[in-house]
């Protein structure tokens, strides 16, 4: 509710249908996944978490595994990358020999989420990689999985879910704050970011909707969402204008 629009960065030269966004740990690298190029595009930022300073570096094609990639995230040290998509309806895991360098990525294995969601649009992990979350627009829900081996998707098993259709019937992305007591969902039906409070950290069954923020003035088809480390900046990527939108937040309690 304290968010205000700051600036924008176009990714149109690399991707005309961007679906997901994330950063490396210190905000000096940004990653955009999209279904036009079926790839992950890597950018350098000369000023951390300032999208106006971004410049394109390289890309990594994922079409051998997924031709409609919709979400992206990394493990904590950037040696693993995860891509979710709605053609394979699975999470694809990649190993990176150089942390957060997509040119060094190699495919490892995948995990199907089709039994829960046939149109997955985004994903996230808890801090230690023992829980994975998948959001999708077929059932309009967040599915939670338990991983017996941290950040190893082949060890995942479904545990529970929470419906978000009361807020948006086309959820397209999700992210948690740093301690898992808040969850944020971006939706394409109402063009809003929805904030949820979790009474038990990283337990989606305890989530309750608290407030929202409209991004319709900037983007009508939002696809992905993330924050900087202290939650004072929010980033939304959209496929209508093929841009990353940066917002400033005054409340540090929403840190990620």
């Amino acid at each position: 509710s304290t968010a205000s629009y700051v600036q924008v960065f176009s990714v149109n030269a690399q991707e005309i249908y961007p679906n997901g966004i994330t950063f490396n740990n210190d905000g000096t690298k940004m990653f955009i996944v999209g279904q036009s190029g079926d790839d992950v595009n890597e950018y350098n930022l000369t000023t951390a978490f300032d999208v106006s300073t971004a410049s394109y570096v390289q890309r990594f094609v994922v079409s051998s595994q997924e031709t409609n990639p919709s979400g992206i995230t990394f493990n904590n040290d950037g040696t693993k990358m995860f891509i979710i998509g709605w053609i394979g309806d699975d999470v694809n895991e990649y190993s990176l020999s150089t942390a957060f360098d997509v040119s060094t990525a190699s495919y490892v294995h995948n995990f199907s989420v089709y039994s829960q969601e046939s149109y997955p649009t985004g994903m996230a992990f808890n801090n230690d990689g023992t829980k994975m979350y998948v959001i999708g627009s077929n059932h309009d829900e967040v599915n939670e999985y338990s991983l017996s081996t941290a950040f190893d998707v082949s060890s995942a098993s479904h545990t529970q879910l929470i419906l978000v259709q009361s807020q948006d019937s086309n959820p397209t992305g999700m992210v948690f704050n740093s301690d898992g007591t808040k969850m944020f969902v971006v939706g394409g039906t109402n063009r809003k970011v929805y904030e949820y409070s979790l009474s038990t950290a990283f337990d989606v069954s305890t989530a309750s909707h608290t407030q929202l923020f409209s991004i319709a003035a900037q983007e009508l088809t939002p696809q992905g969402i993330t924050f900087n480390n202290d939650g004072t900046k929010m980033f939304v990527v959209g496929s209508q204008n093929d841009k990353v939108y940066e917002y400033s937040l005054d409340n540090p309690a929403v840190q990620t």
Side-chain angles (χ1 to χ4, degrees), residues 82 91 111 113 123-126 129-134 143-147 153 156 159:
F82 305 89
V91 178
F111 174 78
V113 298
M123 65 175 300
F125 287 91
N126 68 340
T130 58
K131 287 188 175 185
M132 180 175 71
Y133 308 84
V134 171
N143 288 280
E144 181 181 315
Y145 301 81
S146 175
L147 283 75
V153 299
T159 54

Side-chain angles (χ1 to χ4, degrees), residues 38-156:
D38 301 327
D39 56 9
V40 178
N41 293 280
E42 180 183 319
Y43 301 81
N44 279 340
L45 283 75
T46 54
T47 302
F49 294 110
D50 181 342
V51 297
S52 70
T53 70
S55 59
Y56 174 69
V57 179
Q58 59 190 350
R59 72 177 187 137
F60 176 76
V61 177
V62 299
S63 58
S64 295
Q65 290 79 46
E66 178 59 57
T67 54
N68 270 331
S70 55
I72 179 173
T73 193
F74 290 86
N75 68 339
N76 296 333
D77 64 5
T79 57
K80 286 190 175 185
M81 179 174 71
F82 305 89
I83 302 293
I84 195 167
W86 61 67
I87 293 298
D89 301 322
D90 56 9
V91 178
N92 295 279
E93 180 182 319
Y94 301 82
S95 175
L96 284 74
S97 55
T98 302
F100 294 110
D101 181 342
V102 298
S103 70
T104 70
S106 58
Y107 174 69
V108 180
H109 50 219
N110 68 353
F111 174 78
S112 176
V113 298
Y114 181 79
S115 295
Q116 292 78 46
E117 179 57 60
S118 60
Y119 206 102
T121 55
M123 65 175 300
F125 287 91
N126 68 340
N127 293 337
D128 64 6
T130 58
K131 287 188 175 185
M132 180 175 71
Y133 308 84
V134 171
I135 194 168
S137 60
N138 185 30
H139 297 298
D140 308 325
E141 61 193 21
V142 177
N143 288 280
E144 181 181 315
Y145 301 81
S146 175
L147 283 75
S148 56
T149 302
F151 292 110
D152 181 345
V153 299
S154 69
S155 70

